[in-house]
Amino acid sequence: PKKIRVFKDKATPTLDFRVKEARETVKGAVYAAGKTSSDLNAWAYARVAHSTEEEFDDIVAEVPIDSRGKFEFPGVPGRYFVGLWMPPSSDYVNPSEKLLELDETGNLIDLDSNGSILSEIVFNLEANDAVVSGTLKLNGAGVIGLSGEVHAAKGDGGGWQTTPIEDNGTFSMTL
């Protein structure tokens, strides 16, 4: 990001950017139950892997997962965290990001494991299969006519779910 100031009575400043040509294509696939996911409403993203936590997350790519469970985006050499953005109330656990390096020759190197060269990034999704349910009570009885939602957030910040509160004060969500 660049900042400029624009004043009412002065000429508009010029703002120039330098860009790098993205010559490589990074490909990936999302699997659920051993096959590519065909009905997943999710996006793949890549963010620059900085040396310190304090630096701004530069999102350099974000693309939808297609109907075949595949995604691809243009890339330039560098180190990246690649992950998935899953919608609230997804049927799947939000997978961990993958630390990858795209080298000068177009090789995609998996830095999370043994530095192997990948032909594509693969995410294997785990199904949400635990049910949390309950009743919101007041003086021992279910609250009737309450409007709202119950939220559940994963302790490491890796995902969240939400479900509406029913008219009788009950709720149920799959985690």
Side-chain angles (χ1 to χ4, degrees):
K2 293 187 176 191
K3 292 181 181 181
I4 61 168
R5 291 186 75 181
V6 178
F7 296 95
K8 184 177 181 179
D9 299 330
K10 295 187 179 182
T12 304
T14 300
L15 183 62
D16 294 325
F17 290 91
R18 290 182 183 257
V19 297
K20 291 181 185 177
E21 183 178 359
R23 295 182 182 166
E24 304 301 330
T25 299
V26 177
K27 296 180 180 185
V30 180
Y31 292 89
K35 58 185 179 180
T36 55
S37 180
S38 61
D39 61 351
L40 186 65
N41 177 19
W43 288 64
Y45 67 87
R47 64 183 181 92
V48 175
H50 292 293
S51 58
T52 65
E53 292 283 326
E54 291 84 37
E55 293 190 54
F56 176 76
D57 282 343
D58 293 325
I59 303 294
V60 295
E62 55 183 350
V63 294
I65 308 301
D66 71 17
S67 62
R68 300 170 295 125
K70 303 281 188 175
F71 64 90
E72 65 179 55
F73 55 85
V76 297
R79 286 186 177 206
Y80 303 96
F81 286 107
V82 178
L84 299 180
W85 282 325
M86 307 283 283
S89 303
S90 170
D91 293 335
Y92 302 100
V93 175
N94 201 13
S96 297
E97 292 180 315
K98 298 180 181 291
L99 178 58
L100 305 164
E101 181 172 349
L102 184 60
D103 71 12
E104 296 290 337
T105 62
N107 290 320
L108 187 61
I109 303 165
D110 184 353
L111 299 176
D112 283 332
S113 63
N114 58 4
S116 57
I117 296 176
L118 305 175
S119 59
E120 69 178 2
I121 303 164
V122 174
F123 288 97
N124 292 302
L125 298 180
E126 178 184 346
N128 286 329
D129 58 4
V131 176
V132 174
S133 59
T135 303
L136 298 172
K137 295 182 178 184
L138 179 64
N139 298 325
V143 177
I144 296 175
L146 182 66
S147 177
E149 296 179 332
V150 174
H151 298 268
K154 192 172 175 185
D156 64 2
W160 59 282
Q161 302 284 38
T162 185
T163 190
I165 299 168
E166 301 298 329
D167 287 339
N168 63 1
T170 62
F171 66 91
S172 179
M173 74 174 72
T174 304
L175 302 172

